[in-house]
Amino acid sequence: MMKPIKINPFARMVLTWSKRLFFKPEAFSFTRKVKESQSVLICMPANVDRFAMARDLLSTFVDIFQGKRIFVLLPFLEAKEYLSSSARYEVISPQRRDLNIFSLPGKEFIQKLKKHQFAISLDLDLEDGFFNCYLCLKCKIPLRIGPKRKNAFPLYNIQLAVFQDRFGSREIYEGLAETLKSLLSESEKTIPDFI
Protein backbone atom coordinates (compact mmCIF):
# COMPACT_ATOMS: atom_id res chain seq x y z
CA MET A 1 0.00 0.00 0.00
CA MET A 2 1.35 3.43 -0.96
CA LYS A 3 1.91 5.74 2.00
CA PRO A 4 1.70 9.48 1.19
CA ILE A 5 4.53 11.43 2.81
CA LYS A 6 3.01 13.52 5.62
CA ILE A 7 4.98 16.65 6.51
CA ASN A 8 5.04 17.67 10.18
CA PRO A 9 2.43 20.52 10.38
CA PHE A 10 4.59 22.72 12.62
CA ALA A 11 7.62 22.38 10.32
CA ARG A 12 5.41 23.18 7.34
CA MET A 13 4.02 26.33 8.99
CA VAL A 14 7.50 27.60 9.92
CA LEU A 15 8.94 26.83 6.46
CA THR A 16 6.04 28.49 4.63
CA TRP A 17 6.40 31.61 6.77
CA SER A 18 10.19 31.79 6.44
CA LYS A 19 10.16 31.20 2.67
CA ARG A 20 7.69 34.03 2.19
CA LEU A 21 9.76 36.31 4.40
CA PHE A 22 13.25 35.56 3.05
CA PHE A 23 12.73 34.28 -0.50
CA LYS A 24 14.05 36.65 -3.15
CA PRO A 25 12.56 35.84 -6.58
CA GLU A 26 14.94 36.01 -9.51
CA ALA A 27 13.96 37.34 -12.92
CA PHE A 28 14.30 34.82 -15.72
CA SER A 29 13.43 34.46 -19.36
CA PHE A 30 10.63 31.90 -19.65
CA THR A 31 11.39 31.31 -23.33
CA ARG A 32 15.09 30.80 -22.71
CA LYS A 33 14.54 28.47 -19.74
CA VAL A 34 12.21 26.24 -21.76
CA LYS A 35 14.55 26.12 -24.76
CA GLU A 36 17.72 25.51 -22.73
CA SER A 37 16.24 22.95 -20.32
CA GLN A 38 17.67 19.46 -20.59
CA SER A 39 15.77 17.70 -17.81
CA VAL A 40 12.30 18.01 -16.30
CA LEU A 41 10.89 16.76 -12.98
CA ILE A 42 7.19 15.83 -13.00
CA CYS A 43 5.84 15.52 -9.44
CA MET A 44 2.86 13.22 -9.01
CA PRO A 45 -0.07 13.88 -6.61
CA ALA A 46 0.07 12.47 -3.06
CA ASN A 47 -3.66 11.64 -3.10
CA VAL A 48 -4.05 8.03 -4.32
CA ASP A 49 -7.16 8.75 -6.49
CA ARG A 50 -5.55 11.79 -8.10
CA PHE A 51 -2.35 9.79 -8.57
CA ALA A 52 -4.35 7.27 -10.63
CA MET A 53 -5.82 10.07 -12.80
CA ALA A 54 -2.44 11.74 -13.32
CA ARG A 55 -0.78 8.37 -14.06
CA ASP A 56 -3.36 7.74 -16.81
CA LEU A 57 -2.36 11.03 -18.46
CA LEU A 58 1.37 10.82 -17.71
CA SER A 59 2.27 10.08 -21.35
CA THR A 60 0.48 13.32 -22.34
CA PHE A 61 2.63 15.35 -19.94
CA VAL A 62 5.78 13.50 -21.04
CA ASP A 63 4.93 14.34 -24.69
CA ILE A 64 4.74 18.04 -23.81
CA PHE A 65 8.42 17.95 -22.82
CA GLN A 66 9.52 15.84 -25.79
CA GLY A 67 13.27 15.84 -26.39
CA LYS A 68 14.14 16.36 -22.70
CA ARG A 69 15.10 13.85 -20.01
CA ILE A 70 12.01 13.28 -17.87
CA PHE A 71 11.99 12.17 -14.24
CA VAL A 72 8.79 11.38 -12.33
CA LEU A 73 8.69 11.88 -8.55
CA LEU A 74 6.36 9.72 -6.46
CA PRO A 75 5.60 11.52 -3.15
CA PHE A 76 4.94 8.19 -1.42
CA LEU A 77 6.94 5.69 0.58
CA GLU A 78 7.01 2.12 -0.75
CA ALA A 79 5.54 3.15 -4.10
CA LYS A 80 8.05 1.98 -6.71
CA GLU A 81 5.81 -0.90 -7.85
CA TYR A 82 2.93 1.50 -8.69
CA LEU A 83 4.87 3.17 -11.49
CA SER A 84 7.98 1.80 -13.17
CA SER A 85 10.68 3.62 -15.10
CA SER A 86 10.33 3.34 -18.86
CA ALA A 87 12.30 4.34 -21.94
CA ARG A 88 10.50 7.71 -21.76
CA TYR A 89 11.05 8.59 -18.09
CA GLU A 90 12.81 7.56 -14.91
CA VAL A 91 10.90 7.17 -11.64
CA ILE A 92 12.20 8.65 -8.39
CA SER A 93 10.67 7.25 -5.22
CA PRO A 94 11.97 8.45 -1.83
CA GLN A 95 12.75 5.90 0.88
CA ARG A 96 12.36 6.46 4.61
CA ARG A 97 16.12 7.16 4.87
CA ASP A 98 15.72 10.03 2.34
CA LEU A 99 13.52 11.99 4.79
CA ASN A 100 14.39 13.85 7.98
CA ILE A 101 12.46 13.64 11.27
CA PHE A 102 9.85 16.12 9.95
CA SER A 103 9.30 13.96 6.81
CA LEU A 104 10.95 16.64 4.67
CA PRO A 105 13.49 15.66 2.00
CA GLY A 106 16.92 15.24 3.59
CA LYS A 107 20.14 16.92 2.41
CA GLU A 108 21.53 13.79 0.73
CA PHE A 109 18.31 13.21 -1.20
CA ILE A 110 18.25 16.85 -2.33
CA GLN A 111 21.92 16.66 -3.40
CA LYS A 112 21.20 13.47 -5.36
CA LEU A 113 18.36 15.19 -7.23
CA LYS A 114 20.38 18.36 -7.85
CA LYS A 115 22.84 16.29 -9.90
CA HIS A 116 20.13 15.93 -12.56
CA GLN A 117 20.16 19.72 -13.02
CA PHE A 118 16.43 20.07 -13.48
CA ALA A 119 15.50 23.29 -15.24
CA ILE A 120 11.72 22.76 -15.06
CA SER A 121 9.41 21.09 -12.56
CA LEU A 122 5.72 20.38 -13.02
CA ASP A 123 3.68 19.62 -9.90
CA LEU A 124 0.48 17.67 -10.56
CA ASP A 125 -0.64 17.70 -6.91
CA LEU A 126 -3.82 19.81 -6.81
CA GLU A 127 -4.36 19.70 -3.06
CA ASP A 128 -1.50 19.89 -0.61
CA GLY A 129 1.64 19.33 -2.61
CA PHE A 130 3.95 20.80 0.04
CA PHE A 131 6.48 17.97 -0.20
CA ASN A 132 6.74 18.40 -3.99
CA CYS A 133 6.90 22.20 -3.85
CA TYR A 134 9.45 22.29 -1.07
CA LEU A 135 11.65 19.72 -2.79
CA CYS A 136 11.63 21.66 -6.08
CA LEU A 137 12.48 24.90 -4.28
CA LYS A 138 15.33 23.25 -2.32
CA CYS A 139 16.69 21.72 -5.55
CA LYS A 140 16.80 25.26 -6.94
CA ILE A 141 14.76 24.36 -10.00
CA PRO A 142 14.44 27.71 -11.80
CA LEU A 143 11.07 27.15 -13.50
CA ARG A 144 8.55 25.66 -11.03
CA ILE A 145 5.09 25.13 -12.55
CA GLY A 146 2.08 24.13 -10.46
CA PRO A 147 -1.65 24.66 -9.96
CA LYS A 148 -2.78 28.05 -8.70
CA ARG A 149 -3.74 27.90 -5.03
CA LYS A 150 -3.38 29.76 -1.76
CA ASN A 151 0.23 30.15 -0.51
CA ALA A 152 1.65 28.83 -3.79
CA PHE A 153 4.25 31.60 -4.10
CA PRO A 154 7.26 31.32 -3.79
CA LEU A 155 6.96 27.54 -4.09
CA TYR A 156 5.74 27.93 -7.69
CA ASN A 157 6.82 30.79 -9.90
CA ILE A 158 4.35 29.88 -12.67
CA GLN A 159 0.82 28.95 -11.59
CA LEU A 160 -1.82 27.37 -13.83
CA ALA A 161 -5.48 28.08 -13.11
CA VAL A 162 -7.55 25.08 -12.04
CA PHE A 163 -11.31 24.91 -12.63
CA GLN A 164 -12.96 24.10 -9.31
CA ASP A 165 -16.03 22.55 -10.97
CA ARG A 166 -13.81 19.85 -12.53
CA PHE A 167 -11.84 19.24 -9.33
CA GLY A 168 -12.92 15.61 -8.92
CA SER A 169 -12.48 14.50 -12.50
CA ARG A 170 -9.75 13.55 -14.94
CA GLU A 171 -10.73 16.61 -17.01
CA ILE A 172 -8.76 18.79 -14.65
CA TYR A 173 -5.51 17.11 -15.74
CA GLU A 174 -6.56 17.28 -19.38
CA GLY A 175 -7.11 21.03 -18.90
CA LEU A 176 -3.71 21.45 -17.24
CA ALA A 177 -2.06 19.60 -20.13
CA GLU A 178 -3.79 21.81 -22.71
CA THR A 179 -2.82 25.00 -20.84
CA LEU A 180 0.77 23.81 -20.59
CA LYS A 181 0.92 22.86 -24.28
CA SER A 182 -0.39 26.30 -25.19
CA LEU A 183 2.05 28.06 -22.87
CA LEU A 184 5.05 26.12 -24.16
CA SER A 185 4.09 26.46 -27.82
CA GLU A 186 3.79 30.22 -27.28
CA SER A 187 7.27 30.20 -25.73
CA GLU A 188 8.62 28.96 -29.05
CA LYS A 189 7.39 32.23 -30.50
CA THR A 190 8.40 35.48 -28.85
CA ILE A 191 6.66 36.23 -25.58
CA PRO A 192 7.59 38.63 -22.76
CA ASP A 193 9.79 37.36 -19.95
CA PHE A 194 8.16 36.28 -16.71
CA ILE A 195 9.43 37.28 -13.29
Side-chain angles (χ1 to χ4, degrees):
M1 180 70 180
M2 294 194 300
K3 298 175 186 171
I5 296 170
K6 299 284 187 192
I7 307 293
N8 176 290
F10 179 72
R12 178 191 172 131
M13 184 182 69
V14 169
L15 288 168
T16 301
W17 178 81
S18 67
K19 290 292 175 212
R20 290 179 153 273
L21 197 61
F22 300 113
F23 182 75
K24 304 251 185 303
E26 294 178 20
F28 62 90
S29 164
F30 179 77
T31 305
R32 191 175 303 123
K33 284 291 177 203
V34 170
K35 285 182 180 173
E36 292 174 355
S37 63
Q38 298 294 312
S39 57
V40 176
L41 180 64
I42 298 176
C43 304
M44 296 297 278
N47 173 291
V48 176
D49 293 331
R50 290 203 187 283
F51 171 81
M53 284 187 249
R55 184 184 57 196
D56 289 347
L57 286 168
L58 185 56
S59 61
T60 304
F61 288 105
V62 169
D63 288 345
I64 291 170
F65 298 107
Q66 195 170 11
K68 303 181 189 312
R69 287 188 68 208
I70 310 289
F71 295 81
V72 178
L73 175 74
L74 305 182
F76 299 96
L77 294 173
E78 302 169 24
K80 197 77 169 172
E81 65 272 11
Y82 289 90
L83 185 67
S84 300
S85 293
S86 75
R88 302 184 68 207
Y89 55 80
E90 186 179 323
V91 173
I92 299 169
S93 180
Q95 305 299 310
R96 175 79 52 207
R97 66 180 178 274
D98 295 322
L99 309 178
N100 66 21
I101 58 168
F102 299 111
S103 293
L104 290 164
K107 286 181 182 177
E108 286 180 20
F109 186 60
I110 289 167
Q111 289 306 318
K112 187 168 86 174
L113 293 189
K114 276 184 174 181
K115 288 177 183 172
H116 295 297
Q117 299 179 325
F118 299 117
I120 301 173
S121 65
L122 171 63
D123 190 357
L124 298 178
D125 198 324
L126 304 177
E127 293 166 26
D128 182 276
F130 189 77
F131 180 85
N132 293 347
C133 302
Y134 180 77
L135 180 67
C136 294
L137 191 63
K138 292 299 281 183
C139 287
K140 296 186 166 45
I141 299 174
L143 187 52
R144 299 178 305 281
I145 304 168
K148 185 174 183 178
R149 62 175 174 236
K150 189 181 174 185
N151 299 324
F153 184 83
L155 300 171
Y156 304 134
N157 48 18
I158 296 203
Q159 298 174 48
L160 305 177
V162 173
F163 296 106
Q164 295 300 321
D165 60 333
R166 298 182 190 164
F167 208 69
S169 77
R170 167 191 163 113
E171 286 178 45
I172 202 158
Y173 287 108
E174 291 168 349
L176 280 175
E178 287 306 312
T179 303
L180 198 54
K181 278 182 201 170
S182 174
L183 186 62
L184 293 176
S185 68
E186 283 298 312
S187 77
E188 291 172 5
K189 303 169 190 172
T190 304
I191 60 170
D193 292 348
F194 285 80
I195 294 178

